[in-house]
């Protein structure tokens, strides 16, 4: 749902310009320094980018899902590290509080997340609990008016920058699966929290992940999201439904950027006396990429509109995430191919994008997990 087309267009234009004039020229700097420059963080704050999805009553822009995916198409056109820095506050780090938090939790945390004063992280994955998220072992034991948390969370995006962590932990050890899990908001400064070394990733330099270790961390009971035990896994799944749609939109934006770069290269690069864009085998790669991007864009918009209508889009979000991220991988591969040898050296952005986008098919649920979700939902609908 687009609330006001004109206002949205103004926002999209300003983000488009910001991406073209500020972010794209600094991509190499981010890759080389493995950091988002402070002045860019400041500009992102001023533009309200940390609070895009947080409702206006809490100081954000309160964009709808359809508006969000349109914005994400734009942000996807540059290094994913920029989007990652604001991504957790707009997505997996804040949505749990937004959808299931108590009024006090919302009013306490959301305004500071919206302004970018505070960063957040989503702590679900563990060393032994990745795709099988419901098997997580981090424990939260009630002691008076506190819970005591113990365990290790892995690959946590923005962990080194976050001021709060949304932590999924097992409050009921008797229930081995999803029903024993609760979600907590844990503040960074709480004694007993430490971080592992930053992960050395294949790509996405400038986006930081690490372990978050909880060693007898005492968390006030008031930090239990929604004040209800045993529903933390469902909170996490609802967060991921939305997150998956966001990653699908990001994949569309990144694929569009790679294809733009490849087309420009194919028009400039001459072989056999003419631009390689005139050769039909190059044209086939351009055309296949264009059509697949268009298909993914349509899927993302359709799923986003359905979510705005209040419909359950678990299936659509997984379809969009699976198709768009796999499409992005195919487009990355073809665009390296179009660049030829130049695609394998770091002078051209495609070499970096090829590594950066590989993660899209893995995080917020692998392609194989999306297949499981889609097929399970189909079977459930057919048999109930
Ligand atoms: N929205 C709301 N509730 C949901 C839900 C959703 N999208 N998906 C599942 N649930 C509920 C189920 O209805 C079930 O509740 P009941 O027991 O009351 O029926 C409960 O959550 C458990 O669901 P399920 O039985 O399907 O859980 P499984 O352990 O079988 O696993 C998968 C489900 C595999 C889909 C889940 O573990 C998953 O998504 N894994 C990938 C994790 C991931 O994406 N990690 C990325 C890292 S975070 S960046």
């Amino acid at each position: 749902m687009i609330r006001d087309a004109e206002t949205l267009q103004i926002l999209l234009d300003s983000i488009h310009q910001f991406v073209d004039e500020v972010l794209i020229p600094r991509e190499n700097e981010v890759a080389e320094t493995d950091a988002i420059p402070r002045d860019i963080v400041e500009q992102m704050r001023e533009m309200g980018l940390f609070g895009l999805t947080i409702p206006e009553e809490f100081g954000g822009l309160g964009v709808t899902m359809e508006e969000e995916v349109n914005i994400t198409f734009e942000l996807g056109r540059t290094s994913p590290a920029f989007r990652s820095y604001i991504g957790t506050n707009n997505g997996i780090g804040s949505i749990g509080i937004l959808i299931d938090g108590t009024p006090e939790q919302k009013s306490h945390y959301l305004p500071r997340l919206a302004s970018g004063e505070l960063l957040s992280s989503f702590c679900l994955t563990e060393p032994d609990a990745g795709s099988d998220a419901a098997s997580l072992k981090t424990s939260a034991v009630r002691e008076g008016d506190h819970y005591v948390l113990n365990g290790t969370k892995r690959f946590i995006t923005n962990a080194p920058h976050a001021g709060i962590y949304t932590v999924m932990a097992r409050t009921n050890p008797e229930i081995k699966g999803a029903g024993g899990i609760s979600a907590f908001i844990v503040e960074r400064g709480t004694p007993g929290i430490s971080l592992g070394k930053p992960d050395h990733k294949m790509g996405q330099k400038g986006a930081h992940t690490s372990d978050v270790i909880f060693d007898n961390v005492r968390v006030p009971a008031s930090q239990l999201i929604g004040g209800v035990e045993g529903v933390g896994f469902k909170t996490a799944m609802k967060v991921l439904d939305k997150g998956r749609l966001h990653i699908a939109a990001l994949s569309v934006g990144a694929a569009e950027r790679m294809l733009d770069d490849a087309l420009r290269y194919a028009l400039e690069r001459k072989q056999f006396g003419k631009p390689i864009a005139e050769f039909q085998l190059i044209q086939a790669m351009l055309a296949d990429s264009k059509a697949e991007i268009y298909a993914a864009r349509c899927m993302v918009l359709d799923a986003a509109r359905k979510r705005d209508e209040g419909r359950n889009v678990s299936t659509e979000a997984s379809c969009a995430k699976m198709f768009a991220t796999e499409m992005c991988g195919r487009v990355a591969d073809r665009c390296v191919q179009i660049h030829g040898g130049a695609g394998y050296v770091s002078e051209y952005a495609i070499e970096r994008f090829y590594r950066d986008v590989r993660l899209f098919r893995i995080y917020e649920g692998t392609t194989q997990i999306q297949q499981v979700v889609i097929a399970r939902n189909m079977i459930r609908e057919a048999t109930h």
Side-chain angles (χ1 to χ4, degrees):
M1 177 181 57
I2 291 176
R3 294 164 300 168
D4 178 350
E6 205 178 320
T7 311
L8 178 66
Q9 198 52 54
I10 292 168
L11 180 63
L12 290 175
D13 288 345
S14 74
I15 294 175
H16 188 92
Q17 191 180 0
F18 180 60
V19 168
D20 277 352
E21 295 176 10
V22 179
L23 301 186
I24 291 177
R26 308 280 291 271
E27 287 177 351
N28 282 336
E29 178 188 342
V30 169
E32 278 160 23
T33 59
D34 191 18
I36 309 291
R38 294 315 300 171
D39 63 298
I40 289 189
V41 172
E42 212 37 62
Q43 285 185 71
M44 295 198 294
R45 277 203 186 111
E46 280 163 20
M47 291 174 74
L49 297 185
F50 285 90
L52 290 168
T53 62
I54 295 175
E56 285 165 309
E57 59 178 308
F58 300 114
L61 296 181
V63 299
T64 63
M65 195 72 222
E66 187 177 357
E67 292 166 351
E68 179 183 340
V69 296
N70 276 287
I71 292 166
T72 312
F73 292 152
E74 290 297 336
L75 290 170
R77 296 188 305 109
T78 184
S79 288
F82 294 117
R83 197 279 332 170
S84 183
Y85 203 83
I86 57 164
T88 45
N89 275 30
N90 283 300
I92 55 176
S94 69
I95 300 303
I97 303 174
L98 187 58
I99 55 181
D100 284 339
T102 62
E104 294 74 27
Q105 289 165 348
K106 291 183 198 181
S107 58
H108 188 64
Y109 291 108
L110 294 178
R112 285 188 291 152
L113 291 174
S115 69
E117 174 198 332
L118 188 68
L119 258 66
S120 56
S121 281
F122 178 73
C123 298
L124 176 65
T125 300
E126 297 182 357
D128 295 322
S131 290
D132 185 8
S135 70
L136 63 82
K137 293 200 192 90
T138 295
S139 60
V141 177
R142 180 98 192 209
E143 278 186 12
D145 55 1
H146 281 73
Y147 286 88
V148 180
L149 268 63
N150 279 289
T152 298
K153 295 294 180 175
R154 181 140 293 174
F155 306 139
I156 304 305
T157 299
N158 282 336
H161 310 291
I164 56 166
Y165 302 101
T166 306
V167 183
M168 266 50 71
R170 192 168 300 282
T171 40
N172 188 343
E174 308 290 312
I175 305 177
K176 297 287 173 226
I181 296 171
S182 305
F184 296 88
I185 308 165
V186 183
E187 300 204 355
R188 167 78 169 270
T190 317
I193 296 181
S194 59
L195 300 181
K197 288 197 193 107
D199 299 318
H200 287 285
K201 306 190 304 307
M202 175 192 285
Q204 299 215 6
K205 294 281 182 283
H208 303 140
T209 63
S210 76
D211 281 5
V212 182
I213 302 140
F214 299 88
D215 180 11
N216 284 321
V217 176
R218 287 177 66 76
V219 177
S222 58
Q223 298 296 88
L224 174 66
I225 292 186
V228 188
E229 284 191 11
V231 293
F233 186 79
K234 288 186 187 175
T235 298
M237 289 298 114
K238 287 185 273 183
V239 166
L240 286 172
D241 279 349
K242 180 169 184 297
R244 288 166 181 170
L245 213 37
H246 179 95
I247 299 298
L250 186 64
S251 303
V252 169
E256 286 176 344
R257 160 69 184 280
M258 293 187 287
L259 188 57
D260 279 352
D261 284 7
L263 175 61
R264 197 171 332 109
Y265 184 83
L267 289 167
E268 283 164 9
R269 172 76 174 164
K270 289 200 174 77
Q271 287 294 280
F272 305 102
K274 53 185 176 183
I276 61 169
E278 290 183 26
F279 293 107
Q280 289 182 338
L281 293 180
I282 297 288
Q283 290 177 354
M285 289 193 276
L286 292 171
D288 285 354
S289 299
K290 183 79 180 172
E292 289 188 41
I293 292 171
Y294 178 49
R297 192 179 247 273
C298 292
M299 286 174 85
V300 169
L301 285 168
D302 178 68
R305 287 178 191 133
K306 286 190 172 133
R307 188 175 188 281
D308 283 338
E309 285 166 12
R311 292 160 68 172
N312 177 345
V313 294
S314 168
T315 301
E316 287 82 353
S318 285
C319 287
K321 205 255 178 194
M322 174 175 81
F323 183 80
T325 60
E326 292 288 332
M327 170 284 289
C328 192
R330 289 191 293 274
V331 169
D333 193 68
R334 289 185 200 118
C335 291
V336 169
Q337 199 68 17
I338 291 170
H339 279 78
Y344 202 69
V345 296
S346 58
E347 191 184 335
Y348 289 87
I350 187 62
E351 181 271 338
R352 175 166 31 80
F353 266 91
Y354 181 79
R355 289 180 286 107
D356 286 352
V357 303
R358 188 62 184 83
L359 186 57
F360 296 166
R361 291 149 67 191
I362 298 171
Y363 66 0
E364 302 205 18
T366 61
T367 291
Q368 291 67 33
I369 284 297
Q370 310 311 326
Q371 289 172 317
V372 167
V373 172
I374 297 162
R376 273 190 188 183
N377 289 348
M378 288 168 65
I379 292 165
R380 195 173 301 130
E381 273 172 35
T383 54
H384 281 83

